[in-house]
Amino acid sequence: MNAQNDWDDVRYFLSVARQGSLSAAARLLGVNHSTVLRRIAALESAMGVRLFDKLPRGYVLTAAGEDLHRTALAMEETLAAASLRLSGRDAQIDGTLRVTTVDIIAMHVLPRHLAAFRERYPGIRVDVTIAEASLSLTRREADIAIRLIGQPPDTLVGRALSGLAFAPYAALPVAERHGGATLGEADWAGVDESFDHTSMARWMKGTVTADRVVYRVNSVAALVEAVRAGLGFGLLPCALADRMPDLRRVGPPMEDTDIKIWLLTHRDLRMMGRVRAFLDFMAVALGGERDLLEGRGGPA
């Protein structure tokens, strides 16, 4: 086994020793019962000794287990002290910060705030990756994710900054040409089947028949541009469309939405200096635009 796996197995061992049962240790570690059993068995096999006796009252350390327990506690204390020292060193506000988000946030929401962030923290370089699918913060493919989701995975920590309202819009000539026509009578541009799991897709299916959708695309940012070009009505984020004078709202915001803007990081990174600086700054910056993001900002 490599050093990382060795320490991971020791963490499982310490948890069982503290909790006295596999199920309690599993709950604490956020894994299932069989994972804990497998990791303890791997550690016992690697060391060639039995570490626990399974008794009616729970898992009890053997003599060898007690020996390892003392060593493991010392290892844990040493690692905790090192972590504190290193986190203090990383409190310097500089370095590269990797942020992943979706196209509409990267193109239409973040830039003005990144410019202000740069003025305050000139030592931090921000690398933004546009990806509809979440990059893994656990594998350190990114440090921070800004996502449009209902609820984030349990492995990440952060906060919901705002809702994100969507409403039907059209380019001004298209809106004037349709006059008082109902939404169902207009031609539409929409998102493709990759969005079928979203409230956008549910709203479209409940409002517009498939034959009225004349254009589909797998990007909301591209959809905005298609609507601006006059391809048809489109369900767009109010935070973008309300700032575009060549677009007009042609209906009320959709009500069936659980979309929120989440600012997320991995729990092991949340106190890193540059990560903390970005989280705190963007929480204030994006929180200050809540009326616009939730569709109460009105047309630009």
Side-chain angles (χ1 to χ4, degrees), residues 142-224:
D143 302 312
I144 290 171
I146 305 174
R147 288 286 164 211
L148 307 181
I149 50 177
Q151 190 66 33
D154 293 339
T155 54
L156 304 181
V157 294
R159 65 186 96 175
L161 302 180
S162 170
L164 187 68
F166 285 73
Y169 289 83
L172 292 179
V174 175
E176 291 167 0
R177 188 163 65 244
H178 280 79
T182 65
L183 296 181
E185 295 170 334
D187 288 337
W188 283 76
V191 288
D192 70 7
E193 64 276 358
S194 63
F195 285 79
D196 280 354
H197 63 287
T198 67
S199 52
M200 284 181 70
R202 291 194 298 271
W203 187 93
M204 284 287 291
K205 288 177 181 177
T207 307
V208 184
T209 58
D211 63 297
R212 303 305 309 184
V213 181
V214 299
Y215 173 82
R216 299 202 308 163
V217 67
N218 67 341
S219 159
V220 176
L223 175 62
V224 172

Side-chain angles (χ1 to χ4, degrees), residues 169-171 174 189 222-236 247:
Y169 289 83
V174 175
L223 175 62
V224 172
E225 296 309 312
V227 175
R228 295 180 75 186
L231 271 169
F233 286 16
L235 185 66
L236 307 180
L247 291 177

Side-chain angles (χ1 to χ4, degrees), residues 251-288:
M254 69 176 186
E255 297 178 359
D256 176 27
T257 179
D258 58 357
I259 298 173
K260 290 184 175 14
I261 299 177
W262 281 85
L263 190 58
L264 301 165
T265 189
H266 191 274
R267 63 180 69 252
D268 292 344
L269 299 178
R270 67 190 186 279
M271 295 312 294
M272 184 185 292
R274 57 186 177 273
V275 170
R276 186 80 259 158
F278 188 90
L279 293 174
D280 290 344
F281 184 93
M282 288 301 166
V284 174
L286 296 177

